[in-house]
Amino acid sequence: MSNYSTNILIVDDTKANLISLEAILEGENLKILSASNGNDALKILLKQKVDIVLLDVQMPGMNGFEVAELMRANNKTKDIPIIFITAINKEEEYIFKGYELGAVDYLYKPISNEILKSKVKVFVKLNEQTKIIEEKTRALEEKITQLEMVEKKLNHLIRIDELTGVFNRRAFEEIFKLEWARTIRSNGFFSALMIDIDNFKNFNDTYGHLKGDECLKDVAKIIEKTLRRITDQVARLGGEEFIVLLPETDSDGAKLIAEEIRKNVENLKIVNEGVDTSKFVTVSIGISSVAPTRDIEKKEFIDCADKGLYIAKKNGKNRSYV
Ligand code: GH3
Ligand code: MG
Ligand code: MG
Ligand code: MG
């Protein structure tokens, strides 16, 4: 026996017919509802879950076809299968009318118990299968939603630097490739800032690794805060080195942003004693700017920022160099 009960509504204006139909269908794993006219039938249909309707055609007031027509006009009832019960002979015109209303079957009076039972059984089975499929579909949809959420989280995690929350090297490679290609198409400028914390070994040795980690987080945060355009992106390449990508930005613009970052870090006033250049944590920044073409290697562009960083360090740190 199935877990799904099927509700059948029997509509007939003749009380004796209702009783005999109920008796025939008893014991078929059905919940039987009944109505003796079209109005009552529609009331029940709107209030309760009904899976099949056994519908007498000849009734005073609203006849079976009219009930069916109203059912088809209502979203809640329009898909419920109907078995018409009719004394009318199998005149094609009537059958055709019924099918146009979405009727699914006909029973002719006098009704054969066996035919009634077997026809109802077919619809019960169909109803149960539909319910099983619906339930499985729901469960699958739920699983898919869960998986999509996991996928989203994973995609985020593999792109983020765990310590600072900015992009990691993997994400940087992706973003850089994309923005570089985009800038080639738009004939614009592209700039990058290679940022390295000055004397960070001294900071770690003096205050410990935990304080070092805190410092890295603070520097990452202040870089993020300084960037204004949504296309400006920062990534931690490793250690105490960050890269900032500035699409559609020329060297003047890049220099301005680099200096702003440099000053903002200095203004954090994170003490780094025992250093001759400054008694606070500072950064040096190498700037690379270019109007990218297909002939320029991405690597050259990054190398150029690296060289700028090297010169900024050599010139005394806490400075930027284009
Ligand atoms: P310079 O001014 O020339 O850049 O010198 P520096 O001391 O900053 O550079 P160096 O490369 O000699 O030292 C980098 C130090 O950064 C080494 C290590 O102690 C520290 N470091 C690298 N990664 C991490 C990290 O994830 N957490 C912490 N706390 N420290 C790190
Ligand atoms: Mg009747
Ligand atoms: Mg350093
Ligand atoms: Mg370094």
Side-chain angles (χ1 to χ4, degrees):
M1 209 189 269
S2 159
N3 296 322
Y4 301 98
S5 73
T6 301
N7 294 353
I8 187 164
L9 172 63
I10 306 174
V11 190
D12 201 308
D13 60 307
T14 312
K15 185 96 181 150
N17 287 349
L18 276 182
I19 293 170
S20 85
L21 287 168
E22 280 180 34
I24 297 166
L25 292 173
E26 220 157 67
E28 294 290 334
N29 189 29
L30 290 168
K31 188 179 170 215
I32 300 173
L33 307 160
S34 62
S36 57
N37 59 62
N39 267 328
D40 288 354
L42 288 169
K43 270 187 210 154
I44 291 173
L45 281 162
L46 290 176
K47 238 193 285 171
Q48 310 200 28
K49 180 191 84 93
V50 172
D51 303 301
I52 307 166
V53 179
L54 218 53
L55 187 54
D56 187 19
V57 173
Q58 284 85 38
M59 294 188 290
M62 207 185 301
N63 72 31
F65 290 138
E66 288 167 330
V67 174
E69 233 166 292
L70 288 171
M71 280 176 68
R72 298 306 176 215
N74 188 302
N75 260 339
K76 187 170 183 264
T77 54
K78 72 177 170 39
D79 296 320
I80 302 173
I82 300 169
I83 303 173
F84 285 112
I85 301 170
T86 176
I88 299 169
N89 268 331
K90 309 172 188 182
E91 284 170 39
E92 275 180 18
E93 177 188 348
Y94 277 102
I95 295 175
F96 190 65
K97 184 169 182 188
Y99 278 107
E100 269 189 340
L101 293 172
V104 276
D105 218 335
Y106 275 91
L107 273 168
Y108 301 100
K109 293 177 184 175
I111 289 166
S112 140
N113 294 7
E114 289 317 307
I115 290 176
L116 170 60
K117 274 192 203 173
S118 61
K119 285 200 171 176
V120 167
K121 255 185 202 156
V122 169
F123 289 114
V124 167
K125 185 103 193 155
L126 210 67
N127 177 50
E128 286 170 359
Q129 281 168 350
T130 307
K131 296 234 164 99
I132 291 168
I133 290 167
E134 277 171 4
E135 197 163 282
K136 283 191 175 158
T137 307
R138 251 197 312 278
L140 264 177
E141 280 169 354
E142 216 167 275
K143 277 234 170 77
I144 290 169
T145 312
Q146 278 169 5
L147 278 176
E148 279 171 352
M149 268 155 59
V150 168
E151 192 193 11
K152 241 189 195 166
K153 267 187 203 154
L154 281 177
N155 268 335
H156 180 74
L157 279 178
I158 60 167
R159 290 163 56 82
I160 293 297
D161 171 47
E162 224 180 319
L163 177 68
T164 61
V166 300
F167 286 119
N168 59 19
R169 184 180 281 274
R170 178 205 295 261
F172 155 71
E173 301 284 358
E174 257 177 45
I175 296 164
F176 181 36
K177 221 165 121 181
L178 218 97
E179 291 296 339
W180 184 265
R182 208 200 299 266
T183 315
I184 290 175
R185 283 200 303 275
S186 69
N187 291 315
F189 277 93
F190 197 102
S191 295
L193 314 178
M194 195 65 77
I195 305 172
D196 186 283
I197 301 177
D198 299 323
N199 311 304
F200 197 56
K201 186 170 171 0
N202 178 75
F203 187 89
N204 266 301
D205 292 348
T206 311
Y207 307 101
H209 238 78
L210 285 180
K211 279 267 164 19
D213 284 356
E214 286 307 312
C215 177
L216 282 169
K217 284 193 224 176
D218 291 342
V219 170
K221 213 176 287 165
I222 202 78
I223 295 172
E224 268 186 325
K225 241 175 127 176
T226 310
L227 300 175
R228 276 176 296 259
R229 295 188 192 164
I230 44 161
T231 46
D232 297 344
Q233 307 278 16
V234 55
R236 182 180 172 216
L237 294 181
E240 19 76 270
E241 196 166 287
F242 297 88
I243 188 161
V244 168
L245 294 175
L246 304 167
E248 306 294 338
T249 308
D250 62 13
S251 71
D252 288 347
K255 178 78 181 173
L256 279 173
I257 294 169
E259 276 304 302
E260 213 175 319
I261 289 172
R262 188 193 62 72
K263 279 181 221 150
N264 286 345
V265 172
E266 191 175 26
N267 286 336
L268 289 173
K269 297 204 184 328
I270 305 169
V271 177
N272 190 7
E273 297 277 11
V275 177
D276 47 8
T277 49
S278 161
K279 64 180 197 319
F280 297 118
V281 167
T282 56
V283 291
S284 297
I285 304 176
I287 305 166
S288 179
S289 283
V290 74
T293 65
R294 282 181 208 292
D295 300 327
I296 300 172
E297 292 286 334
K298 292 203 289 295
K299 189 180 171 303
E300 277 176 59
F301 173 71
I302 299 299
D303 285 349
C304 173
D306 266 329
K307 271 185 206 128
L309 173 62
Y310 173 79
I311 295 168
K313 294 275 185 192
K314 224 176 67 174
N315 288 352
K317 306 184 184 180
N318 191 21
R319 67 198 63 215
S320 59
Y321 184 88
V322 187

